[in-house]
Amino acid sequence: MKRNYYNTPLFPLLLYTLEKIIVFIVFYLIFGNLFISKMVTNWDALDYLSIAQYGYSNKFLYAFSPLFPFLIRGLTFLTSSYPLSSLIITNIFGYIFVFLAYKYYGFKGSLVLSTFPVFVLYSTIPYSDDIALTFLILSLNLEGWLSSLSLAGAIATFYNLAYTLPSFLLKYRRKIWYFIPPLVVGGIILIAFWIFTGSPLTFFSVENKYWYAYFTTPWCQAEWILNCYDHFINTFFAPCFHLSPLIYLLRNYAFLAFYITGTILFYKKYKNAFLTLYSLSIILPLFFIHGWPSISLPRLLLPAFPSLLGYVDIIFKRNAYTLIYIIISFFLTFFFTEWQVLAFFA
């Protein structure tokens, strides 16, 4: 019986589903019967819907990849509803990622990844993160051209993942031709920017202009967060949910410390230089990012999911530890969803 329990993905999928239900419950408690409508028009989800319906009608939308809006538009031919399509696509890819996590990392790895609250949140509300994660887990675990094409798909879904390209030198080694698909995708993106906006660097200029995003020192990043209190409160946050910028800064450091510790534990156990370098290529730049992306740090850390595997031995050392992890994950899913709705958890 115990062997069957570990040899199926059903339990991780069940826990993942239960945590998803928590996300829906929080939206319902806050918005009542309008909870589905609010869920699909929350923060970036609204921008993806706008691109799906009207294309890149505003320059700031060029910060978002067209892949997710393209999928939304395609499914809408069947559903006749852009919002419903976005919700369906995000949740389908969430389940695909959990299944692939079981396939490649086994029962324990899939349970840790599938119950991680930030992943649950952003694979339930309509964001493109779990689409990118699905391509990434394939690129990390497949070989040859299948890995290369998956990496290209990840970059096409989330442009910033181009930062991970150097780490793949350890995976592809002397077979540099495997870099052709992601480089071709990157070239197509730059050419498209040039054709439609007049500059191949539109993504960077848009990020800078609208999100104040550029690389800086960790000190300047902290200063930006700490000095934006009035802007946060007066522009975005619900009056009933005031959080000081210091909370956001401490939250950032907590997440960064959690991922770095996980990366160290992962390397000590598996001695996998490629996945360690890959994870660090996601984590380390986030110490130096300025502007709104620094507020989005928990979500931007999600591609470093191999780091979370470093905690597997601790979580499964005893049954009590596993139960405690699951209980904490359920609680944090509730709290993070509330924070996302009322104060932009990101």
PDB file of all heavy atoms in Angstrom, residues 93-117:
ATOM      1  N   PHE A  93      -2.070  24.320 -17.411  1.00  0.00           N
ATOM      2  CA  PHE A  93      -0.611  24.258 -17.371  1.00  0.00           C
ATOM      3  C   PHE A  93      -0.107  24.010 -15.952  1.00  0.00           C
ATOM      4  O   PHE A  93       0.946  23.390 -15.765  1.00  0.00           O
ATOM      5  CB  PHE A  93       0.001  25.532 -17.955  1.00  0.00           C
ATOM      6  CG  PHE A  93       0.193  25.470 -19.439  1.00  0.00           C
ATOM      7  CD1 PHE A  93      -0.790  25.934 -20.300  1.00  0.00           C
ATOM      8  CD2 PHE A  93       1.342  24.936 -19.982  1.00  0.00           C
ATOM      9  CE1 PHE A  93      -0.623  25.879 -21.676  1.00  0.00           C
ATOM     10  CE2 PHE A  93       1.531  24.864 -21.351  1.00  0.00           C
ATOM     11  CZ  PHE A  93       0.540  25.332 -22.205  1.00  0.00           C
ATOM     12  N   GLY A  94      -0.838  24.493 -14.952  1.00  0.00           N
ATOM     13  CA  GLY A  94      -0.451  24.206 -13.577  1.00  0.00           C
ATOM     14  C   GLY A  94      -0.446  22.712 -13.310  1.00  0.00           C
ATOM     15  O   GLY A  94       0.495  22.174 -12.701  1.00  0.00           O
ATOM     16  N   TYR A  95      -1.484  22.030 -13.750  1.00  0.00           N
ATOM     17  CA  TYR A  95      -1.557  20.577 -13.552  1.00  0.00           C
ATOM     18  C   TYR A  95      -0.500  19.850 -14.378  1.00  0.00           C
ATOM     19  O   TYR A  95       0.064  18.846 -13.927  1.00  0.00           O
ATOM     20  CB  TYR A  95      -2.954  20.065 -13.908  1.00  0.00           C
ATOM     21  CG  TYR A  95      -3.963  20.282 -12.805  1.00  0.00           C
ATOM     22  CD1 TYR A  95      -4.873  21.332 -12.866  1.00  0.00           C
ATOM     23  CD2 TYR A  95      -3.993  19.443 -11.693  1.00  0.00           C
ATOM     24  CE1 TYR A  95      -5.792  21.540 -11.847  1.00  0.00           C
ATOM     25  CE2 TYR A  95      -4.912  19.636 -10.674  1.00  0.00           C
ATOM     26  CZ  TYR A  95      -5.811  20.694 -10.756  1.00  0.00           C
ATOM     27  OH  TYR A  95      -6.713  20.892  -9.735  1.00  0.00           O
ATOM     28  N   ILE A  96      -0.231  20.349 -15.575  1.00  0.00           N
ATOM     29  CA  ILE A  96       0.822  19.732 -16.389  1.00  0.00           C
ATOM     30  C   ILE A  96       2.166  19.820 -15.676  1.00  0.00           C
ATOM     31  O   ILE A  96       2.932  18.855 -15.640  1.00  0.00           O
ATOM     32  CB  ILE A  96       0.893  20.410 -17.776  1.00  0.00           C
ATOM     33  CG1 ILE A  96      -0.375  20.110 -18.586  1.00  0.00           C
ATOM     34  CG2 ILE A  96       2.131  19.932 -18.542  1.00  0.00           C
ATOM     35  CD1 ILE A  96      -0.453  20.866 -19.892  1.00  0.00           C
ATOM     36  N   PHE A  97       2.444  20.982 -15.096  1.00  0.00           N
ATOM     37  CA  PHE A  97       3.721  21.160 -14.391  1.00  0.00           C
ATOM     38  C   PHE A  97       3.825  20.193 -13.210  1.00  0.00           C
ATOM     39  O   PHE A  97       4.880  19.588 -12.997  1.00  0.00           O
ATOM     40  CB  PHE A  97       3.865  22.601 -13.906  1.00  0.00           C
ATOM     41  CG  PHE A  97       5.129  22.826 -13.115  1.00  0.00           C
ATOM     42  CD1 PHE A  97       6.338  23.001 -13.763  1.00  0.00           C
ATOM     43  CD2 PHE A  97       5.112  22.842 -11.729  1.00  0.00           C
ATOM     44  CE1 PHE A  97       7.526  23.185 -13.041  1.00  0.00           C
ATOM     45  CE2 PHE A  97       6.276  23.030 -10.996  1.00  0.00           C
ATOM     46  CZ  PHE A  97       7.485  23.199 -11.657  1.00  0.00           C
ATOM     47  N   VAL A  98       2.753  20.050 -12.444  1.00  0.00           N
ATOM     48  CA  VAL A  98       2.786  19.141 -11.291  1.00  0.00           C
ATOM     49  C   VAL A  98       3.028  17.705 -11.758  1.00  0.00           C
ATOM     50  O   VAL A  98       3.815  16.961 -11.148  1.00  0.00           O
ATOM     51  CB  VAL A  98       1.475  19.232 -10.492  1.00  0.00           C
ATOM     52  CG1 VAL A  98       1.434  18.165  -9.399  1.00  0.00           C
ATOM     53  CG2 VAL A  98       1.327  20.621  -9.879  1.00  0.00           C
ATOM     54  N   PHE A  99       2.370  17.304 -12.836  1.00  0.00           N
ATOM     55  CA  PHE A  99       2.565  15.951 -13.359  1.00  0.00           C
ATOM     56  C   PHE A  99       4.008  15.754 -13.819  1.00  0.00           C
ATOM     57  O   PHE A  99       4.623  14.708 -13.550  1.00  0.00           O
ATOM     58  CB  PHE A  99       1.612  15.688 -14.522  1.00  0.00           C
ATOM     59  CG  PHE A  99       1.751  14.309 -15.103  1.00  0.00           C
ATOM     60  CD1 PHE A  99       1.163  13.217 -14.490  1.00  0.00           C
ATOM     61  CD2 PHE A  99       2.497  14.105 -16.258  1.00  0.00           C
ATOM     62  CE1 PHE A  99       1.313  11.938 -15.016  1.00  0.00           C
ATOM     63  CE2 PHE A  99       2.653  12.831 -16.791  1.00  0.00           C
ATOM     64  CZ  PHE A  99       2.060  11.747 -16.171  1.00  0.00           C
ATOM     65  N   LEU A 100       4.579  16.759 -14.510  1.00  0.00           N
ATOM     66  CA  LEU A 100       5.969  16.660 -14.959  1.00  0.00           C
ATOM     67  C   LEU A 100       6.930  16.646 -13.769  1.00  0.00           C
ATOM     68  O   LEU A 100       7.960  15.972 -13.803  1.00  0.00           O
ATOM     69  CB  LEU A 100       6.307  17.821 -15.892  1.00  0.00           C
ATOM     70  CG  LEU A 100       5.620  17.795 -17.258  1.00  0.00           C
ATOM     71  CD1 LEU A 100       5.915  19.077 -18.039  1.00  0.00           C
ATOM     72  CD2 LEU A 100       6.066  16.573 -18.064  1.00  0.00           C
ATOM     73  N   ALA A 101       6.591  17.399 -12.721  1.00  0.00           N
ATOM     74  CA  ALA A 101       7.425  17.384 -11.512  1.00  0.00           C
ATOM     75  C   ALA A 101       7.467  15.981 -10.922  1.00  0.00           C
ATOM     76  O   ALA A 101       8.520  15.513 -10.463  1.00  0.00           O
ATOM     77  CB  ALA A 101       6.892  18.385 -10.488  1.00  0.00           C
ATOM     78  N   TYR A 102       6.335  15.287 -10.930  1.00  0.00           N
ATOM     79  CA  TYR A 102       6.308  13.901 -10.453  1.00  0.00           C
ATOM     80  C   TYR A 102       7.142  12.999 -11.368  1.00  0.00           C
ATOM     81  O   TYR A 102       7.899  12.148 -10.897  1.00  0.00           O
ATOM     82  CB  TYR A 102       4.876  13.392 -10.391  1.00  0.00           C
ATOM     83  CG  TYR A 102       4.796  11.926 -10.023  1.00  0.00           C
ATOM     84  CD1 TYR A 102       4.886  11.514  -8.699  1.00  0.00           C
ATOM     85  CD2 TYR A 102       4.661  10.959 -11.011  1.00  0.00           C
ATOM     86  CE1 TYR A 102       4.843  10.169  -8.364  1.00  0.00           C
ATOM     87  CE2 TYR A 102       4.622   9.603 -10.691  1.00  0.00           C
ATOM     88  CZ  TYR A 102       4.716   9.225  -9.368  1.00  0.00           C
ATOM     89  OH  TYR A 102       4.673   7.891  -9.046  1.00  0.00           O
ATOM     90  N   LYS A 103       7.011  13.214 -12.658  1.00  0.00           N
ATOM     91  CA  LYS A 103       7.736  12.381 -13.633  1.00  0.00           C
ATOM     92  C   LYS A 103       9.249  12.500 -13.462  1.00  0.00           C
ATOM     93  O   LYS A 103       9.971  11.507 -13.517  1.00  0.00           O
ATOM     94  CB  LYS A 103       7.343  12.801 -15.052  1.00  0.00           C
ATOM     95  CG  LYS A 103       8.110  12.086 -16.166  1.00  0.00           C
ATOM     96  CD  LYS A 103       7.639  12.562 -17.524  1.00  0.00           C
ATOM     97  CE  LYS A 103       8.489  11.985 -18.646  1.00  0.00           C
ATOM     98  NZ  LYS A 103       8.349  10.524 -18.745  1.00  0.00           N
ATOM     99  N   TYR A 104       9.721  13.733 -13.228  1.00  0.00           N
ATOM    100  CA  TYR A 104      11.161  13.961 -13.193  1.00  0.00           C
ATOM    101  C   TYR A 104      11.762  13.962 -11.789  1.00  0.00           C
ATOM    102  O   TYR A 104      12.942  13.657 -11.629  1.00  0.00           O
ATOM    103  CB  TYR A 104      11.498  15.275 -13.890  1.00  0.00           C
ATOM    104  CG  TYR A 104      11.191  15.266 -15.372  1.00  0.00           C
ATOM    105  CD1 TYR A 104      10.302  16.190 -15.925  1.00  0.00           C
ATOM    106  CD2 TYR A 104      11.780  14.333 -16.206  1.00  0.00           C
ATOM    107  CE1 TYR A 104      10.018  16.178 -17.280  1.00  0.00           C
ATOM    108  CE2 TYR A 104      11.499  14.311 -17.570  1.00  0.00           C
ATOM    109  CZ  TYR A 104      10.610  15.232 -18.101  1.00  0.00           C
ATOM    110  OH  TYR A 104      10.336  15.224 -19.442  1.00  0.00           O
ATOM    111  N   TYR A 105      10.971  14.313 -10.775  1.00  0.00           N
ATOM    112  CA  TYR A 105      11.527  14.450  -9.425  1.00  0.00           C
ATOM    113  C   TYR A 105      10.862  13.524  -8.412  1.00  0.00           C
ATOM    114  O   TYR A 105      11.174  13.599  -7.224  1.00  0.00           O
ATOM    115  CB  TYR A 105      11.414  15.900  -8.954  1.00  0.00           C
ATOM    116  CG  TYR A 105      12.015  16.891  -9.928  1.00  0.00           C
ATOM    117  CD1 TYR A 105      11.288  17.989 -10.380  1.00  0.00           C
ATOM    118  CD2 TYR A 105      13.311  16.720 -10.409  1.00  0.00           C
ATOM    119  CE1 TYR A 105      11.831  18.894 -11.281  1.00  0.00           C
ATOM    120  CE2 TYR A 105      13.865  17.610 -11.316  1.00  0.00           C
ATOM    121  CZ  TYR A 105      13.116  18.696 -11.750  1.00  0.00           C
ATOM    122  OH  TYR A 105      13.660  19.584 -12.645  1.00  0.00           O
ATOM    123  N   GLY A 106       9.955  12.682  -8.880  1.00  0.00           N
ATOM    124  CA  GLY A 106       9.353  11.696  -8.007  1.00  0.00           C
ATOM    125  C   GLY A 106       8.275  12.266  -7.090  1.00  0.00           C
ATOM    126  O   GLY A 106       7.921  13.444  -7.156  1.00  0.00           O
ATOM    127  N   PHE A 107       7.774  11.393  -6.238  1.00  0.00           N
ATOM    128  CA  PHE A 107       6.673  11.753  -5.344  1.00  0.00           C
ATOM    129  C   PHE A 107       7.050  12.911  -4.425  1.00  0.00           C
ATOM    130  O   PHE A 107       6.314  13.891  -4.307  1.00  0.00           O
ATOM    131  CB  PHE A 107       6.278  10.533  -4.506  1.00  0.00           C
ATOM    132  CG  PHE A 107       5.255  10.824  -3.452  1.00  0.00           C
ATOM    133  CD1 PHE A 107       3.900  10.808  -3.749  1.00  0.00           C
ATOM    134  CD2 PHE A 107       5.647  11.124  -2.150  1.00  0.00           C
ATOM    135  CE1 PHE A 107       2.956  11.084  -2.773  1.00  0.00           C
ATOM    136  CE2 PHE A 107       4.714  11.397  -1.170  1.00  0.00           C
ATOM    137  CZ  PHE A 107       3.360  11.381  -1.482  1.00  0.00           C
ATOM    138  N   LYS A 108       8.212  12.826  -3.790  1.00  0.00           N
ATOM    139  CA  LYS A 108       8.591  13.841  -2.808  1.00  0.00           C
ATOM    140  C   LYS A 108       8.835  15.193  -3.466  1.00  0.00           C
ATOM    141  O   LYS A 108       8.369  16.230  -2.982  1.00  0.00           O
ATOM    142  CB  LYS A 108       9.830  13.384  -2.045  1.00  0.00           C
ATOM    143  CG  LYS A 108       9.597  12.140  -1.197  1.00  0.00           C
ATOM    144  CD  LYS A 108      10.868  11.723  -0.471  1.00  0.00           C
ATOM    145  CE  LYS A 108      10.628  10.478   0.369  1.00  0.00           C
ATOM    146  NZ  LYS A 108      11.866  10.053   1.081  1.00  0.00           N
ATOM    147  N   GLY A 109       9.559  15.180  -4.564  1.00  0.00           N
ATOM    148  CA  GLY A 109       9.821  16.436  -5.264  1.00  0.00           C
ATOM    149  C   GLY A 109       8.556  17.091  -5.763  1.00  0.00           C
ATOM    150  O   GLY A 109       8.378  18.312  -5.655  1.00  0.00           O
ATOM    151  N   SER A 110       7.653  16.289  -6.297  1.00  0.00           N
ATOM    152  CA  SER A 110       6.414  16.850  -6.834  1.00  0.00           C
ATOM    153  C   SER A 110       5.529  17.399  -5.726  1.00  0.00           C
ATOM    154  O   SER A 110       4.852  18.413  -5.895  1.00  0.00           O
ATOM    155  CB  SER A 110       5.637  15.793  -7.635  1.00  0.00           C
ATOM    156  OG  SER A 110       5.216  14.720  -6.802  1.00  0.00           O
ATOM    157  N   LEU A 111       5.552  16.748  -4.558  1.00  0.00           N
ATOM    158  CA  LEU A 111       4.738  17.247  -3.452  1.00  0.00           C
ATOM    159  C   LEU A 111       5.253  18.602  -2.965  1.00  0.00           C
ATOM    160  O   LEU A 111       4.471  19.525  -2.715  1.00  0.00           O
ATOM    161  CB  LEU A 111       4.724  16.240  -2.301  1.00  0.00           C
ATOM    162  CG  LEU A 111       3.749  16.570  -1.162  1.00  0.00           C
ATOM    163  CD1 LEU A 111       3.115  15.311  -0.611  1.00  0.00           C
ATOM    164  CD2 LEU A 111       4.455  17.317  -0.029  1.00  0.00           C
ATOM    165  N   VAL A 112       6.570  18.728  -2.855  1.00  0.00           N
ATOM    166  CA  VAL A 112       7.151  20.001  -2.416  1.00  0.00           C
ATOM    167  C   VAL A 112       6.829  21.116  -3.409  1.00  0.00           C
ATOM    168  O   VAL A 112       6.434  22.222  -3.025  1.00  0.00           O
ATOM    169  CB  VAL A 112       8.677  19.857  -2.227  1.00  0.00           C
ATOM    170  CG1 VAL A 112       9.320  21.219  -1.999  1.00  0.00           C
ATOM    171  CG2 VAL A 112       8.989  18.928  -1.060  1.00  0.00           C
ATOM    172  N   LEU A 113       6.990  20.849  -4.698  1.00  0.00           N
ATOM    173  CA  LEU A 113       6.764  21.878  -5.705  1.00  0.00           C
ATOM    174  C   LEU A 113       5.283  22.207  -5.867  1.00  0.00           C
ATOM    175  O   LEU A 113       4.904  23.371  -6.013  1.00  0.00           O
ATOM    176  CB  LEU A 113       7.344  21.433  -7.049  1.00  0.00           C
ATOM    177  CG  LEU A 113       8.867  21.255  -7.101  1.00  0.00           C
ATOM    178  CD1 LEU A 113       9.297  20.788  -8.483  1.00  0.00           C
ATOM    179  CD2 LEU A 113       9.584  22.551  -6.740  1.00  0.00           C
ATOM    180  N   SER A 114       4.429  21.194  -5.832  1.00  0.00           N
ATOM    181  CA  SER A 114       3.009  21.414  -6.107  1.00  0.00           C
ATOM    182  C   SER A 114       2.297  22.141  -4.980  1.00  0.00           C
ATOM    183  O   SER A 114       1.258  22.772  -5.202  1.00  0.00           O
ATOM    184  CB  SER A 114       2.302  20.080  -6.369  1.00  0.00           C
ATOM    185  OG  SER A 114       2.315  19.262  -5.210  1.00  0.00           O
ATOM    186  N   THR A 115       2.836  22.059  -3.773  1.00  0.00           N
ATOM    187  CA  THR A 115       2.182  22.722  -2.640  1.00  0.00           C
ATOM    188  C   THR A 115       2.839  24.051  -2.288  1.00  0.00           C
ATOM    189  O   THR A 115       2.403  24.709  -1.338  1.00  0.00           O
ATOM    190  CB  THR A 115       2.198  21.815  -1.393  1.00  0.00           C
ATOM    191  OG1 THR A 115       3.549  21.435  -1.107  1.00  0.00           O
ATOM    192  CG2 THR A 115       1.350  20.581  -1.618  1.00  0.00           C
ATOM    193  N   PHE A 116       3.869  24.443  -3.023  1.00  0.00           N
ATOM    194  CA  PHE A 116       4.531  25.711  -2.729  1.00  0.00           C
ATOM    195  C   PHE A 116       3.535  26.845  -2.981  1.00  0.00           C
ATOM    196  O   PHE A 116       3.044  27.006  -4.108  1.00  0.00           O
ATOM    197  CB  PHE A 116       5.774  25.871  -3.592  1.00  0.00           C
ATOM    198  CG  PHE A 116       6.647  27.019  -3.179  1.00  0.00           C
ATOM    199  CD1 PHE A 116       7.245  27.044  -1.939  1.00  0.00           C
ATOM    200  CD2 PHE A 116       6.862  28.087  -4.033  1.00  0.00           C
ATOM    201  CE1 PHE A 116       8.053  28.102  -1.543  1.00  0.00           C
ATOM    202  CE2 PHE A 116       7.661  29.151  -3.650  1.00  0.00           C
ATOM    203  CZ  PHE A 116       8.266  29.166  -2.406  1.00  0.00           C
ATOM    204  N   PRO A 117       3.201  27.648  -1.976  1.00  0.00           N
ATOM    205  CA  PRO A 117       2.077  28.595  -2.084  1.00  0.00           C
ATOM    206  C   PRO A 117       2.173  29.593  -3.231  1.00  0.00           C
ATOM    207  O   PRO A 117       1.164  29.906  -3.856  1.00  0.00           O
ATOM    208  CB  PRO A 117       2.109  29.319  -0.726  1.00  0.00           C
ATOM    209  CG  PRO A 117       2.741  28.336   0.205  1.00  0.00           C
ATOM    210  CD  PRO A 117       3.770  27.630  -0.612  1.00  0.00           C
TER     211      PRO A 117
END
